[in-house]
Amino acid sequence: MRKILSVLITATALSACAGLHELSNDVSTYSLWPTDRKPTTYTFERLPSQEQNPQQMQLLEEAAHRAMESAGFKLAADPKAADISVNLGARVTAQEPSPFDNPFWWHGGLYSHRFYGRGFYRSGFGFHGAWPYDPPTYEREVAMLLRDRKTGQPLYEVRVTNDGYSSSINSLLTAMFEAGLKDFPNGGPNPRRVVTQIGSS
């Protein structure tokens, strides 16, 4: 019995470790990619506002590069000769819990009237006193836009989101961009769930 229990504990631990390296994403893609067009060369294109933060853009481009290669693209040695231009974006949005999410606020529940008043809830800090506090969650999002570099025509649009208790996104960027291009050049259905692996680096 002890041996069986040990095996079960080991299997559970391995399963938990595997889950920690997987990222579940909500992916939306919109495709105008011609059916007879093959992936060729690409270059990254930065908006003027993005040039104000070159280090962050470099991080985004390095993360997206792996996903582009997996989709069949090659980074052009000469940006002016590239077939496709790629715009990138990323953001993290805090989602504060609402006091009305607590079940005690509904149906005249425990203390619902006594504590419904000024000063009991302060945005950003949850319930005061001994009540349970749910920390804020964060929506993490990346976006990609692939365009014909010569004509400027948008050909493929990507939006990837996930959420969690951490606002950190840098270590997730590669997995998120890979999720966005996993079905390239196909579009929808939108949104759909795509699971990718988080790299160890």
Side-chain angles (χ1 to χ4, degrees), residues 122-201:
R122 185 166 74 244
S123 178
F125 294 91
F127 289 95
H128 294 179
W131 282 51
Y133 167 65
D134 291 329
T137 58
Y138 297 88
E139 182 185 65
R140 301 170 292 237
E141 178 182 357
V142 299
M144 305 179 72
L145 178 61
L146 279 62
R147 296 187 298 169
D148 184 286
R149 200 190 67 82
K150 293 181 179 179
T151 66
Q153 179 186 1
L155 296 176
Y156 200 74
E157 182 182 355
V158 175
R159 181 176 182 265
V160 181
T161 63
N162 56 62
D163 54 36
Y165 290 112
S166 172
S167 61
S168 176
I169 192 175
N170 290 353
S171 63
L172 309 178
L173 289 172
T174 298
M176 293 177 73
F177 283 125
E178 287 181 342
L181 290 180
K182 189 171 184 179
D183 298 321
F184 178 84
N186 299 321
N190 298 320
R192 60 190 179 277
R193 187 59 54 90
V194 177
V195 176
T196 48
Q197 298 295 315
I198 303 174
S200 57
S201 58

Side-chain angles (χ1 to χ4, degrees), residues 23 35 74 86 93 96 100 103 105 136 146 152 161 169 172 179 187:
L23 185 65
T35 57
K74 297 295 181 184
V86 182
T93 306
E96 296 286 351
F100 302 105
W105 285 100
L146 279 62
T161 63
I169 192 175
L172 309 178

Side-chain angles (χ1 to χ4, degrees), residues 83-142:
D83 185 44
I84 295 295
S85 65
V86 182
N87 291 102
L88 303 174
R91 66 181 177 183
V92 178
T93 306
Q95 298 175 317
E96 296 286 351
S98 166
F100 302 105
D101 290 339
N102 192 295
F104 290 129
W105 285 100
W106 299 103
H107 308 301
L110 180 64
Y111 302 129
S112 62
H113 298 290
R114 181 183 304 176
F115 289 112
Y116 188 86
R118 183 177 56 193
F120 180 65
Y121 180 80
R122 185 166 74 244
S123 178
F125 294 91
F127 289 95
H128 294 179
W131 282 51
Y133 167 65
D134 291 329
T137 58
Y138 297 88
E139 182 185 65
R140 301 170 292 237
E141 178 182 357
V142 299

Side-chain angles (χ1 to χ4, degrees), residues 1-16:
M1 178 67 179
R2 181 177 300 176
K3 183 177 180 181
I4 294 175
L5 181 61
S6 176
V7 171
L8 289 175
I9 292 174
T10 302
T12 302
L14 289 174
S15 176

